Amino acid sequence: MENHSQNGTQDLLQVSALNCIDLSNPNIHQSVSLLKQACLDCGFFYVVNHGISQEFMDEVFAQSKNLFQLPLNEKMKLLRNEKHRGYTPVLDELLDPDNQVHGDYKEGYYIGVEVPEDDPDAEKPFYGPNVWPEDDVVPGWRQTMEKFHHEALEVAKAVARIIALALDLEVDFFDKPEMLGKPIATLRLLHYEGQVSDPSKGIYGAGAHSDYGLITLLATDDVMGLQICRDKDAKPQIWEYVAPIKGAFIVNLGDMLERWSNFIFKSTLHRVLGNGQERYSIAYFVEPSHDCLVECLPTCKSEDNPPKFPPIRCATYLSQRYKDTHAELNVYNNHQT
Ligand code: OGA
Ligand code: NI
C-alpha cells in the first residue's frame, strides 16, 4: 500500500507503533509507565480489555450504519442544533482551513449528555436534550447509543485514573465532582463515504487537527485512514498511519490536557485520509464539568517551569474551539423542514 504525500510523490506506508494499555493488567505500575511514555511522546496509545464487549461494539457500529444509510432528507431532519447535538453533513466541519479547500469528507452525529429541557442544567452550553431519530426509523437506536455513552464513560474514567498516576496526582484526581463526576462527554459517530483524499489538492476525510478536550476514545472499523504527525513543525511533515486493532480503542490526549499539564503531555496533530473505501469510526470526547477550572496542575510547574497559560473555564475553552471549526448553522436554512 502506498500513500501520496503532500508534494505528490509516493512514500512507503508508515505505520506507527503505539503503546498498548491493558485495563485488565493487575500490574498498575506497568500500565502507568507505558501510558506515561506514550503521553510524553505523542499522546496516542491503544487501550484493550476495556470491558465493552465486542458483541456490543458490533451493535453500535451496525446502528451507526443504519443511521447514515438513511436518505439525506431524513438525516437533515436531525440536523445538529446550537448545542451540537444531531447530524453533521459532509463538509460541515473544516478542521484545517490553511490546507483544506473544502470541509471534511465525512458526515457525523453528535450525542451529548442527555439533560431534559426543563432541568436547570440544560442552560449550560454543553448540556441539553439530544436529537434522537424516531424509533420506527431506526429501531432501538437511542438505547444502543445511551448504553454506549454510559459504558465509554467508565472506560474514560479508568484511563483517567492511570493518567492521574502518570502525572503524580492522586489516583482519583479526575473523579472529583467538578471533573469527571459531572463531565461533558460527547459521542460522535462518523462516516467517511469512500472518497479518495488528495492532500496535494487539499481534499481530506478529516483535516489535520488536535482534539480539544481531555481525552478521546476512538473505535474504528478495519479500514486504515487515521494518521498522526509527531512533529507539526517538521518540514515536510511526516505522517504515520495508526493501524486499527480489533476490539481496541485508540486513545489520544486533547489540547485541554496538554494545557493542564503545562505541555508536558502531548496532544498530537492527526487527520484521516480516505483511500476509496467506506469507513466508519466512533469517537468519544471526554471533558470535565462546565465550571472546572483548567489551571496548570500542581505537579507540572516549578520555579524554572512556570505555567505557560492562564487558567480557563472548561466551557469557555470548548465553546471557542467548536465555533472555530464548524459552519454557521444558517448555511442550512434551505434544508430546514
Ligand atoms: C476526530 C478524529 C478520527 C477518525 O473525530 O476527532 O480524529 O478516525 N477522528 O475518525
Ligand atoms: Ni480527532
Side-chain angles (χ1 to χ4, degrees):
M1 231 176 161
E2 284 172 320
N3 129 50
H4 293 263
S5 72
Q6 246 155 9
N7 55 17
T9 58
Q10 306 246 309
D11 299 326
L12 284 178
L13 182 86
Q14 281 215 37
V15 178
S16 200
L18 300 180
N19 283 357
C20 185
I21 316 300
D22 179 348
L23 289 187
S24 69
N25 183 354
N27 183 348
I28 189 74
H29 296 294
Q30 189 179 37
S31 299
V32 171
S33 145
L34 283 169
L35 177 140
K36 185 170 180 175
Q37 196 184 36
C39 293
L40 294 171
D41 174 37
C42 67
F44 267 82
F45 50 91
Y46 296 105
V47 165
V48 295
N49 293 322
H50 42 66
I52 304 185
S53 72
Q54 189 59 49
E55 194 186 7
F56 183 54
M57 287 306 301
D58 293 344
E59 181 187 325
V60 183
F61 274 97
Q63 287 284 35
S64 170
K65 209 173 261 190
N66 290 340
L67 184 112
F68 289 122
Q69 277 172 352
L70 295 174
L72 185 62
N73 68 336
E74 282 292 328
K75 292 186 282 194
M76 287 309 279
K77 290 182 193 160
L78 304 164
L79 184 67
R80 71 179 164 90
N81 59 26
E82 299 290 348
K83 294 219 166 180
H84 299 283
R85 306 300 174 92
Y87 177 64
T88 57
V90 173
L91 306 186
D92 180 73
E93 191 172 8
L94 180 59
L95 287 163
D96 183 16
D98 293 346
N99 291 304
Q100 285 178 278
V101 287
H102 303 293
D104 291 352
Y105 282 89
K106 66 173 198 280
E107 52 181 349
Y109 203 96
Y110 280 116
I111 303 163
V113 176
E114 177 80 18
V115 174
E117 196 94 68
D118 57 2
D119 187 312
D121 265 351
E123 282 173 23
K124 300 188 164 141
F126 294 96
Y127 277 172
N130 281 300
V131 174
W132 297 110
E134 297 291 337
D135 200 55
D136 56 349
V137 178
V138 267
W141 203 83
R142 175 172 177 169
Q143 288 84 333
T144 303
M145 296 308 157
E146 287 190 322
K147 181 172 172 203
F148 181 75
H149 213 292
H150 185 78
E151 294 198 5
L153 184 60
E154 293 311 307
V155 177
K157 285 181 174 171
V159 173
R161 286 186 201 113
I162 306 176
I163 292 178
L165 293 173
L167 286 166
D168 295 321
L169 300 163
E170 296 290 319
V171 62
D172 57 358
F173 180 86
F174 294 108
D175 288 319
K176 297 191 200 98
E178 72 274 24
M179 301 208 184
L180 298 182
K182 212 172 177 186
I184 299 171
T186 306
L187 165 58
R188 192 175 192 201
L189 307 172
L190 293 164
H191 175 220
Y192 300 84
E193 284 179 327
Q195 167 125 17
V196 182
S197 294
D198 186 346
S200 69
K201 293 203 171 70
I203 294 172
Y204 296 89
H209 68 282
S210 46
D211 293 352
Y212 323 144
L214 189 71
I215 55 172
T216 305
L217 312 182
L218 181 77
T220 75
D221 63 13
D222 55 10
V223 178
M224 199 81 120
L226 177 67
Q227 296 186 316
I228 63 171
C229 171
R230 291 171 187 264
D231 178 5
K232 64 176 184 303
D233 299 320
K235 287 196 176 67
Q237 288 179 332
I238 296 169
W239 290 89
E240 301 167 17
Y241 278 96
V242 175
I245 297 185
K246 184 106 181 143
F249 281 114
I250 298 162
V251 178
N252 65 292
L253 311 186
D255 298 338
M256 191 185 284
L257 185 54
E258 188 180 61
R259 179 177 172 133
W260 220 343
S261 71
N262 214 13
F263 284 72
I264 291 175
F265 276 6
K266 302 285 185 308
S267 154
T268 286
L269 211 54
H270 53 283
R271 68 184 188 185
V272 176
L273 292 193
N275 64 3
Q277 278 173 286
E278 199 179 19
R279 178 173 181 273
Y280 287 86
S281 64
I282 299 169
Y284 189 73
F285 302 105
V286 184
E287 288 100 36
S289 78
H290 282 74
D291 293 320
C292 178
L293 199 63
V294 178
E295 179 174 27
C296 182
L297 294 164
T299 52
C300 298
K301 61 181 176 189
S302 65
E303 224 154 86
D304 302 338
N305 187 24
K308 295 183 174 63
F309 274 92
I312 189 165
R313 227 178 119 243
C314 171
T316 312
Y317 181 78
L318 280 182
S319 297
Q320 191 56 48
R321 296 297 303 268
Y322 271 88
K323 196 162 160 287
D324 289 346
T325 49
H326 288 72
E328 294 288 336
L329 271 176
N330 60 18
V331 303
Y332 300 113
N333 282 353
N334 293 342
H335 290 275
Q336 303 270 334
T337 46

